[in-house]
Amino acid sequence: MSSKRPFHVMVIPTLGCPSSCSYCWSSDERSPIMKIETVKEMVGWLGTFRDDPVTFTFHGGEPLLAGPDFYREALALITEGLRPRKIAFALQTNLWRMTPEMAAVLAEFKIPIGSSLDGPRDLNDHQRSAGYFDKTMAGYRVAKDHGLSVQFICTFTSYSAAFREEIFDFFLENGLTLKLHPALPSLKSADPDRWALPPEEYGDLLVYLLDRYLENIDGIEVRNINDLARCVFTGRGTVCTYVDCMEDTFAVGPDGTIYPCYRFVGMEEWAMGSVRDRPTEEELAASPAGRKMRAFKTIVDADCKGCRHLRYCRGGCPYNAIAPSGGELLGVDPHCAAYKRIFDEISDRFNKELFGSMGMGRSCRPAAPSTGKAGIMAIIQKILSG
């Protein structure tokens, strides 16, 4: 009997957003807001699509623009309409529209929240627009008051990477989990590379964060470093950038169009079908967009042949791969050099710790490296006990 294969549906209620972040590539002020009828059609499609466990992530744009009534009805429709399969929810928001009413609806379904904050107020607002920090933190307080779990993603740009110490200290001192994204060239900007973080700088940043994390292992959680170490430790990708996401991740846009991922929503050439037509897995895979996604696998197998990290990296993210080329799929994720740098660093340190010193301390942890600070094994232990 085959085991269930969990999959992921990203629901995009709108691409509209009240913010105007300088490097944003996913906002469109003309975007409509998803109608509840579209949610019903989506549930109808998924009812016959697969019976595996499914996670729904509400994303955008700014998904809270849909309002509390939308979520009150949509969450109930999904939960009831797809019983008895296992359902999970998540939501990514800038928190500006987080009212007590909205928080109460989300708390009823115990929805974990991801938000965005690029560091201290002045630095954050320089990148994300004036007033962003205070509006987000106000929504954060409302969410926390209602018992909601909130974690922040920090986008590092070619500008903010120079302030990496200040940014790390901000997250450390405020007791916030740090998860980071590198800014990509924008497919919707006249100056697409202005904020983009070059791969070499991203690699330097990841190694810096690894060292700072090891110095403060008990005081902060750096999600990316945990994920990267988990990849090396288990030999398989564990988050979407480093895993073969195709056929197991889909996004539904405001009008019910299906895409390979939320990053492609609104790009007609990446449309795979519509929830109203109840497409099968085979029909989605046979669409032009589905064939492009499979072409990425072929590129990865050719370009990454012989790379020791191939089995858990898989060439990175297909969207990242098209960002520098104006939308064309010409190669693997351009951050490949950064991934190699940090995977090499973790692998080499892990092997050195494991085979270079088999002494055990009083805590039964492998002995710390000669530097005296925590090593990769401390991260592995943290992951296993988490």
Side-chain angles (χ1 to χ4, degrees), residues 8-14 34 36 39 42-43 55-64 66-67 70-79 87-94 106 109 111-115 252 262:
H8 189 193
V9 176
M10 310 179 94
V11 184
I12 316 302
T14 180
M34 182 180 285
I36 205 67
V39 178
M42 180 183 71
V43 172
T55 296
F56 292 88
T57 298
F58 292 89
H59 215 296
E62 174 44 60
L64 294 191
F70 171 86
Y71 284 96
R72 189 177 288 111
E73 191 167 357
L75 293 168
L77 280 168
I78 293 169
T79 302
I87 302 290
F89 293 109
L91 185 141
Q92 182 69 30
T93 168
N94 63 24
L106 300 177
F109 289 86
I111 298 182
I113 292 173
S115 191
V252 178
Y262 81 99

Side-chain angles (χ1 to χ4, degrees), residues 213-215 217 349 353 365 368-369 371-378:
Y213 189 26
L214 293 176
E215 292 167 0
I217 191 73
R349 293 191 194 188
E353 291 171 32
R365 290 187 183 186
T371 58
K373 66 183 178 184
I376 302 301
M377 294 299 290

Side-chain angles (χ1 to χ4, degrees), residues 360-367 381:
M360 306 297 285
R362 291 179 63 185
S363 65
C364 294
R365 290 187 183 186
Q381 186 178 59

Side-chain angles (χ1 to χ4, degrees), residues 210 225 228-229 232 342-350 376:
L210 171 62
I225 302 302
L228 292 161
V232 173
I342 189 62
F343 279 135
D344 282 346
E345 193 76 24
I346 292 172
S347 298
D348 293 346
R349 293 191 194 188
F350 177 73
I376 302 301

